[in-house]
Amino acid sequence: WQAIAARGELSSPVIDMLAGTRDIDTAVVLSKNERICLTEAAINILGEMAKTNETIARPLLARPEIPEALARSLYAHVGAELKAYLRTYYDVGDEAVKQVAEDIVVEFSDSPSSVFMPSKHMIDAAEKFSLLGMLNMQVMMDTLQRGQIATFIAFFAKYSGVPVARIHDSLRETCPKGLAIACRALGVQKPDFSRIYLMTNRMRSPERIVNQHDMMEVLAYFDSVRPEVAQRIVRRSR
């Protein structure tokens, strides 16, 4: 089932059949397969499974064909899991910190046209994650995978020490050199930098069309920046 779910071309009946198996590993592969378009029936099945399994929820939320109502529902479940994690593993007693899960999903409730500049809730959430020792590249990449670009900007700004506005403005450029410099200074590897560029493409292209020339240009720039030079630049920008 997993091997079939990973294929580049799948008919609607096959997609429905694979989703209907309700096998978790198959559902994950199907949700990650960006070369196919999920059917309505498959989305409904995968959506129900995702409410109790975040490994399905993450790739499913990133898909453009997911209806807004389902996406909102999944965000609520992901937030609940995060809040439970905070309570269980960090024994967090402060009610304000328990609201981290709600803070990071505020983005999804905002107007799509103004969603990229982090709100105060998101900046506060980044501060709380940092205080709890939970702010790292994996958390930030997971946030991007869920489509939360503004939350990622707040997290990355706190992680790097670069002002929020500079990270935001850099990502809107066709060749975000500021982001490349920050990533080089932090030791972010090229594959992760490429993923950040691709997953923030909505900021540069509402139609989600990736400009291959621009991407090659920024990757070449990333390669050309020496880490020690990038670190000096970042220190001056703080």
Side-chain angles (χ1 to χ4, degrees), residues 35-235:
R35 296 179 293 173
I36 63 171
C37 182
L38 296 177
T39 64
E40 183 178 353
I43 288 173
N44 289 336
I45 295 171
L46 296 176
E48 285 302 312
M49 295 178 67
K51 290 178 180 179
T52 56
N53 193 308
E54 193 167 340
T55 59
I56 301 173
R58 290 177 182 178
L60 196 61
L61 279 166
R63 300 189 68 92
E65 67 264 40
I66 299 301
E68 181 177 337
L70 175 59
R72 287 180 182 274
S73 175
L74 291 182
Y75 267 86
H77 282 273
V78 171
E81 287 190 13
L82 178 57
K83 188 162 63 175
Y85 175 80
L86 287 171
R87 285 199 305 265
T88 304
Y89 293 97
Y90 287 88
D91 193 25
V92 179
D94 183 355
E95 286 298 321
V97 178
K98 287 183 181 180
Q99 293 302 313
V100 168
E102 282 76 9
D103 288 342
I104 67 171
V105 301
V106 167
E107 173 179 349
F108 197 78
S109 301
D110 291 342
S111 167
S113 62
S114 61
V115 78
F116 302 122
M117 179 60 78
S119 66
K120 185 178 183 302
H121 288 87
M122 298 170 197
I123 294 171
D124 289 346
E127 181 69 30
K128 292 167 187 173
F129 266 62
S130 180
L131 289 173
L132 290 168
M134 295 174 60
L135 194 54
N136 52 50
M137 281 305 300
Q138 185 60 54
V139 167
M140 290 187 284
M141 297 305 284
D142 288 347
T143 299
L144 265 187
Q145 184 67 42
R146 292 194 294 267
Q148 294 175 280
I149 294 177
T151 300
F152 166 79
I153 292 173
F155 281 8
F156 192 83
K158 179 63 183 178
Y159 186 72
S160 64
V162 177
V164 166
R166 290 196 180 185
I167 298 297
H168 172 273
D169 293 348
S170 175
L171 282 170
R172 294 191 70 90
E173 297 173 358
T174 55
C175 182
K177 295 181 178 179
L179 178 73
I181 291 170
C183 285
R184 284 296 260 172
L186 294 168
V188 176
Q189 299 300 305
K190 189 174 181 179
D192 281 339
F193 174 72
S194 300
R195 289 177 61 205
I196 292 171
Y197 180 84
L198 290 171
M199 289 191 288
T200 58
N201 189 57
R202 280 192 294 137
M203 294 185 70
R204 297 176 292 276
S205 173
E207 297 81 17
R208 302 195 180 195
I209 299 173
V210 177
N211 187 306
Q212 296 296 326
H213 177 269
D214 291 342
M215 183 171 180
M216 295 305 296
E217 181 181 355
V218 75
L219 290 178
Y221 182 81
F222 178 89
D223 287 335
S224 71
V225 178
R226 297 201 308 272
E228 61 272 19
V229 174
Q231 290 165 7
R232 288 200 297 269
I233 295 173
V234 168
R235 281 197 295 268

